[in-house]
Amino acid sequence: MKFVDEFRDGALAKKLASRIAQSVRADRDYAFMEFCGGHTHAISRYGVEDLLPANVRMVHGPGCPVCVLPVGRIDTAIRLARDPRVTLCTYGDLMRVPGSNGTSLMKAKAEGADIRMVYSTLDALRIAEAEPGREVVFFAIGFETTTPPTAIAIKLAGKKGLTNFTVFCNHVLTPSAIQNILESPDVRDLGTVRIDGFVGPAHVSTVIGTEPYAFFAEEFEKPVVIAGFEPLDVLQAVAMLVDQVNEGRHEVENEYTRAVTPEGNEVAKAEVAEVFELRRSFEWRGLGEVPYSALKLKAKYADFDAEARFDLEYIPADDNPACDCGAILRGVKEPADCKLFGTVCTPETPMGSCMVSSEGACAAHWTYGRFRAASRVKRAS
C-alpha cells in the first residue's frame, strides 16, 4: 500500500539505524520525547528502540487524549449519564476509564444508564434526530485533530434545528501541554526528566501546521521534528533530532511532509475558531491545572453546551494512589515502574487510563511486550 509499505521497509530501517549510530556522540546521551501516543505505539510495535544506540532514549509524553482526561471529568460524565433524560454518546476508549470509587461509564451503563458507543460526532447527531424525546449529549474529547468534527456537528445541529443535542466539551490543546512540560519542575528545576528534543505529533500537525511549535524551539532551545506514525518516520525524526542536537540547533523541522504543511488546514482551523474559545484553565491528568489549554463553546453556541444546559459542576477527584499514570504521562516513569502494571492492572482490568486507551503508554508496553525488554535491561545493568 502506497505510503505504508515503503515506510515499513526493514532494510531501510537498518540503514537509518546505522546512520543514527554513526551520528551520535559517545560522550553524551540523548533523550527525546515522543509527545503523541500514536508514536509510542509505533515505537513499541515495531521495536524501534531496539534499533537505537544505547545512549538514545525515548521518553513517553502526554499525547493521549483519553489518558490525560482527569478523573473529575469522567465522574462528571457518569453523573450526567445517570440523568434519566440523557443519552450519552461516547467513543469506545472512554467506556472503561476508571472514575472515582471504581466507577466507569461501562459500569454505569450496566446499571441502566443510557450510554452508547459511537464512532463519530455524526453518529450522535443521527441519534438526536431519530430520538427527539431524548437529551443526546456527545462526550467530546481529543486534541486539535478531533476538534473540527465536533465544531461541524454543532453547526449542523443548529442548521437542523436540533434542540436535544449538546456537547460535553473536553477538547485540549497540544502547544499548551508541551509548554507545561518544559516549564515543569521535573524538567526545568529538578532535572528528573531530561528532554533534548521532541518528536512532534503527526495528525495534530496536519490541522495546526508546524508554525505553533516555533515558540518552544526558540524559547526553550529544544528542537522539534514533526513525524509520521510509521517506523521509518520515527527513525528519520530521531536522526534529524540527533543532527540538530549535535549542531547546537533548535529548530522546527518537518519529516512528515507528505501530510503536514507550515500553515496546517486553514478550513479546519476556521471551523474551530468560529465555534470554540479558550478556557482560562483546564485540569490534565498528570499535569494538573494548565492555563489556556482547552476549549469551550462560544456564547453564540451556548444552546449546544451540555455544561450550561445541565448546570454541570466540576468536582476534582484524585487518581488511584497506587497508579503511576500521572508520572508516566509526564515522562517521569516508565510503565514497568508502576507496581500495578501487569499485575492487577492489565487491558482487561485497567486501574488507570494509560492501560485503557489504544494510545496509552501502558497499553503499548503490555500489548507489544516492551516491559519484558525493559526488565532485561534493568537486570543487565
Side-chain angles (χ1 to χ4, degrees):
M1 184 181 295
K2 192 166 181 62
F3 296 140
V4 174
D5 292 343
E6 297 94 330
F7 291 86
R8 297 177 182 175
D9 188 300
L12 286 177
K14 290 180 180 178
K15 289 182 180 179
L16 268 174
S18 176
R19 178 195 158 189
I20 294 170
Q22 293 171 11
S23 299
V24 296
R25 289 166 33 189
D27 61 344
R28 65 157 298 153
D29 293 331
Y30 301 79
F32 302 126
M33 175 175 278
E34 81 272 3
F35 180 88
C36 185
H39 286 133
T40 300
H41 272 252
I43 290 167
S44 297
R45 178 182 180 184
Y46 296 105
V48 171
E49 284 185 298
D50 295 339
L51 297 174
L52 298 177
N55 59 338
V56 177
R57 185 170 68 91
M58 303 305 295
V59 180
H60 312 307
C64 162
V66 172
C67 302
V68 299
L69 199 64
V71 175
R73 302 298 283 190
I74 296 294
D75 289 347
T76 303
I78 293 171
R79 290 197 304 270
L80 180 60
R82 286 173 172 162
D83 186 323
R85 302 168 295 169
V86 169
T87 295
L88 185 73
C89 297
T90 180
Y91 296 129
D93 277 0
L94 283 169
M95 294 290 288
R96 297 189 302 127
V97 177
S100 298
N101 303 314
T103 59
S104 69
L105 289 170
M106 184 73 80
K107 291 181 179 179
K109 180 178 175 65
E111 293 166 358
D114 188 359
I115 302 172
R116 308 186 197 182
M117 189 181 76
V118 296
Y119 292 97
S120 75
T121 54
L122 296 182
D123 289 343
L125 271 183
R126 294 188 189 102
I127 293 171
E129 284 186 281
E131 303 181 33
R134 300 290 297 167
E135 288 284 351
V136 178
V137 181
F138 176 65
F139 190 176
I141 69 159
F143 290 97
E144 291 89 345
T145 315
T146 56
T147 309
T150 304
I152 290 172
I154 290 169
K155 291 174 67 176
L156 278 175
K159 290 179 180 179
K160 292 174 178 287
L162 294 177
T163 59
N164 65 325
F165 176 79
T166 54
V167 169
F168 178 38
C169 183
N170 295 270
H171 286 300
V172 291
L173 304 174
T174 302
S176 301
I178 294 177
Q179 182 170 347
N180 179 272
I181 290 168
L182 291 172
E183 290 179 338
S184 70
D186 292 320
V187 174
R188 176 163 278 189
D189 301 326
L190 302 178
T192 50
V193 178
R194 178 178 165 186
I195 300 175
D196 296 313
F198 287 90
V199 177
H203 292 160
V204 163
S205 300
T206 64
V207 176
I208 68 173
T210 63
E211 294 170 354
Y213 305 104
F215 169 78
F216 315 112
E218 182 177 352
E219 176 70 15
F220 298 97
E221 298 185 352
K222 304 292 184 184
V224 178
V225 177
I226 311 301
F229 286 129
E230 298 302 329
L232 294 191
D233 287 318
V234 178
L235 283 168
Q236 178 64 28
V238 171
M240 294 165 72
L241 285 168
V242 168
D243 288 343
Q244 285 208 50
V245 170
N246 288 346
E247 296 165 14
R249 293 185 291 117
H250 38 86
E251 304 168 3
V252 179
E253 294 183 325
N254 182 15
E255 183 277 336
Y256 199 29
T257 54
R258 63 189 186 274
V260 174
T261 61
E263 66 279 0
N265 188 323
E266 298 287 4
V267 175
K269 290 193 293 185
E271 294 287 350
V272 171
E274 180 180 343
V275 176
F276 296 105
E277 63 185 9
L278 287 172
R279 295 179 187 262
R280 286 187 178 273
S281 184
F282 190 84
E283 184 186 357
W284 292 52
R285 190 190 300 257
L287 303 183
E289 288 286 337
V290 182
Y292 302 107
S293 64
L295 300 174
K296 64 178 181 178
L297 276 67
K298 287 184 174 179
K300 65 183 290 188
Y301 292 99
D303 288 346
F304 301 101
D305 188 345
E307 291 181 79
R309 179 173 297 189
F310 298 98
D311 194 24
L312 299 179
E313 178 186 6
Y314 178 65
I315 304 172
D318 294 330
D319 284 318
N320 183 326
C323 175
D324 284 330
C325 187
I328 291 166
L329 289 168
R330 296 195 307 275
V332 176
K333 291 187 175 183
E334 294 277 339
D337 294 331
C338 178
K339 59 187 176 183
L340 301 183
F341 180 85
T343 55
V344 296
C345 184
T346 68
E348 288 71 35
T349 58
M351 302 300 291
S353 57
C354 295
M355 186 63 89
V356 175
S357 173
S358 59
E359 295 186 353
C362 294
H365 278 232
W366 175 266
T367 301
Y368 302 113
R370 302 309 301 167
F371 62 96
R372 300 187 185 95
S375 298
R376 288 196 297 271
V377 171
K378 287 180 179 179
R379 288 197 297 270
S381 61

